[in-house]
Amino acid sequence: MTTISDALSLPCGGALKNRLCKAAMTEGLADAENRATGRHVTLYRRWAEGGAGLLLTGNVQVDRRYLERAGNVVIDGKQDNARLAALAAWAEAGTAEGTHLWMQIGHAGRQTPKNIASEPVGPSDIAVALPGGRFGKPRALTGDEIRDVIARFAHMAGIAKQTGFTGVQVHAAHGYLLSEFLSPRVNIREDEWGGSVENRARLLIECVRAVRAKVGPDFPVGVKLNSADFQKGGFSFDDCLRVVELLNEEGLDLLEVSGGTYEQPRLLGVEGLEPVFEEKVQASTRARESYFFNYAVSVRKVAKMPLMVTGGFRSRAGMDEALAGGDVDVIGLGRPLCVDPNFPNKVLSGALEAAPDVEKGLRIGPGIFGPNSPIGIFKALNGFAKIGWYYEQIYKLADGDDPDLSLSGFKAFMAYDKTEAAKAKALVR
Ligand SMILES: Cc1cc2nc3c(=O)[nH]c(=O)nc-3n(C[C@H](O)[C@H](O)[C@H](O)COP(=O)(O)O)c2cc1C
């Protein structure tokens, strides 16, 4: 029976030394020119030494006009020697100890904050429905602009390979541009990029195809895909299964299953302002703490490529159990590695059975100001506080410090709001 310690051969010919993957987590560490920095080097060396077989970078953006946050690394256009050297240093650090380091390629689409782009872009002109005015109304991309996005994905993949990253992952989850195209609720186009699931998936498939053409057959290419958006009228689990069938033809090395969007942040196991819209899937007794395991079991029946599931894994028993039946091949881990960069080594060696629960008291305030507030704006702010808490821990790791587990949710939110606004201002300037 497969355990977290076993190696995994990839279809392209490479191998991961074990079944644990540090999932993509946006670092916010780029300089004002959106270049990688020494802080990426420190952070990824720590994570590489932490024992995971695979590290995925946070989302690196293909277009500097539309970012997920101001501190994103961007690869668009010609890369001068300084930019290439910064990427190569990052790649070298993240591949220490025989660890794979894959660059996550993304376009933020309509989830670009307003302080970066007052008018972001998307498949259609439907804005993110969150209170607080953080996101502007997008405009629909033209056909030529969609072709340009595809070329940008391929360009970044080529640069990743050139600078020493050992693979790439196309980000098609969590409500960013490719995920927006997949959603019939956000994509109401009537051309070849909208309508049927095949049309909605066209941008993803063409991006993957262009990336593969750029990097050749021997280089790992993965995709992160939502099991569902968990919103009425959104990307459904049936859609997901059809997209997996289409991806089967594209020679992928790893498919990561996640779920949710900013409006419905199921990826973090939390609920948005609307009720969660959930389809029935067969329940597995081996699901334990993993949010999307039941979906992964059904995806397995369709998928020809290795499968990874991310979200909620905390215990060695839960991880081994998920691998044992052969339903998934790799376990994705996000937040536990912000709290302890050595978490993989510790569970692999048996020194630790499970990651500590650090989220219990994470909120901006009590009662109606808390995460279950009936008032939309407070519920949303608590979500940002939680993310902000992890951002602060990532900064600490990148500075060579220990995480600060005593940091309060309120303080984390204030720090998050201040830093993100200041960085966005500097970027726009
Ligand atoms: C601070 C933070 C940043 C994240 N950034 C990204 C990202 O850049 N790309 C991505 O695909 N997912 C991102 N995620 C989602 C994680 O990859 C993962 O799917 C999620 O945290 C659930 O896994 P976990 O329960 O092990 O944390 C982020 C999550 C956190 C907590």
Side-chain angles (χ1 to χ4, degrees):
M1 272 200 297
T2 305
T3 74
I4 56 172
S5 306
D6 293 322
L8 175 72
S9 300
L10 299 170
C12 70
L16 305 181
K17 66 181 179 181
N18 61 48
R19 303 303 179 104
L20 300 183
C21 167
K22 183 212 76 80
M25 286 185 287
T26 175
E27 305 91 5
L29 295 173
D31 65 15
E33 304 283 318
N34 298 100
R35 287 177 296 213
T37 66
R39 295 172 86 198
H40 287 94
V41 171
T42 304
L43 177 63
Y44 278 80
R45 190 173 299 285
R46 292 179 82 174
W47 274 334
E49 289 170 355
L54 171 60
L55 305 180
L56 288 163
T57 69
N59 55 149
V60 177
Q61 297 288 315
V62 298
D63 189 332
R64 65 187 53 248
R65 294 169 297 175
Y66 310 111
L67 306 180
E68 171 261 341
R69 60 194 287 216
N72 289 151
V73 174
V74 176
I75 299 179
D76 62 356
K78 198 172 170 337
Q79 302 294 296
D80 60 23
N81 287 341
R83 298 190 87 89
L84 292 172
L87 290 170
W90 181 9
E92 192 188 356
T95 50
E97 309 288 335
T99 310
H100 264 265
L101 174 65
W102 297 6
M103 184 181 282
Q104 187 181 60
I105 313 177
H107 184 307
R110 70 174 192 151
Q111 290 186 163
T112 301
K114 206 185 216 168
N115 55 13
I116 293 173
S118 55
E119 187 186 54
V121 289
S124 307
D125 64 352
I126 299 170
V128 176
L130 280 180
R134 283 177 177 251
F135 302 96
K137 188 178 164 88
R139 70 174 176 81
L141 286 168
T142 65
D144 284 348
E145 286 174 318
I146 294 172
R147 291 276 163 211
D148 176 58
V149 168
I150 297 165
R152 286 168 181 269
F153 269 73
H155 175 64
M156 188 191 293
I159 299 290
K161 185 175 178 187
Q162 180 192 337
T163 51
F165 289 79
T166 60
V168 289
Q169 183 191 56
V170 172
H171 192 357
H174 302 170
Y176 299 109
L177 188 71
L178 268 50
S179 159
E180 288 159 22
F181 268 79
L182 289 171
S183 161
R185 182 170 148 143
V186 185
N187 178 356
I188 54 166
R189 299 179 76 96
E190 292 176 352
D191 58 8
E192 72 267 37
W193 306 101
S196 66
V197 60
E198 288 79 10
N199 278 0
R200 283 180 275 124
R202 193 180 306 280
L203 176 57
L204 164 61
I205 299 296
E206 297 241 353
C207 281
V208 170
R209 213 169 271 169
V211 162
R212 176 56 83 197
K214 182 64 122 185
V215 298
D218 307 331
F219 193 73
V221 175
V223 164
K224 186 164 187 171
L225 184 68
N226 274 358
S227 47
D229 291 353
F230 300 100
Q231 292 183 292
K232 206 162 184 198
F235 181 68
S236 67
F237 187 51
D238 273 351
D239 285 345
C240 166
L241 293 175
R242 177 66 189 131
V243 173
V244 173
E245 279 175 1
L246 297 171
L247 287 170
N248 276 340
E249 307 307 314
E250 302 304 325
L252 280 189
D253 291 286
L254 192 62
L255 177 67
E256 178 182 359
V257 176
S258 184
T261 65
Y262 281 11
E263 290 172 351
Q264 192 54 275
R266 295 297 296 154
L267 55 141
L268 299 175
V270 292
E271 273 184 35
L273 304 180
E274 289 174 27
V276 175
F277 180 77
E278 194 143 14
E279 293 148 279
K280 281 234 166 331
V281 284
Q282 211 180 337
S284 164
T285 50
R286 287 178 293 110
R288 282 222 196 187
E289 63 246 35
S290 165
Y291 311 142
F292 304 116
F293 186 75
N294 287 335
Y295 295 92
V297 171
S298 297
V299 169
R300 170 86 289 162
K301 294 187 182 122
V302 176
K304 292 187 185 152
M305 68 293 276
L307 211 58
M308 159 164 154
V309 67
T310 304
F313 281 109
R314 298 295 177 264
S315 72
R316 166 146 198 164
M319 296 174 213
D320 275 339
E321 213 168 76
L323 291 170
D327 294 307
V328 297
D329 304 291
V330 179
I331 304 293
L333 296 166
R335 288 164 282 179
L337 276 91
C338 299
V339 172
D340 182 355
N342 280 312
F343 178 65
N345 275 334
K346 290 180 185 167
V347 279
L348 284 162
S349 70
L352 197 65
E353 278 306 313
D357 179 5
V358 292
E359 289 192 6
K360 248 183 252 148
L362 271 189
R363 52 171 195 247
I364 57 167
I368 59 159
F369 305 109
N372 299 319
S373 174
I375 305 166
I377 185 79
F378 288 119
K379 202 170 173 186
L381 290 179
N382 274 286
F384 285 112
K386 192 158 153 178
I387 283 285
W389 193 87
Y390 287 101
Y391 284 1
E392 290 300 306
Q393 307 304 349
I394 289 176
Y395 287 155
K396 292 234 170 259
L397 293 175
D399 289 334
D401 297 331
D402 288 334
D404 174 10
L405 304 190
S406 67
L407 180 67
S408 78
F410 180 73
K411 271 196 178 156
F413 173 72
M414 297 309 281
Y416 161 86
D417 213 41
K418 200 169 146 201
T419 319
E420 295 301 309
K423 280 194 184 171
K425 213 167 160 187
L427 181 82
V428 170
R429 200 186 301 134

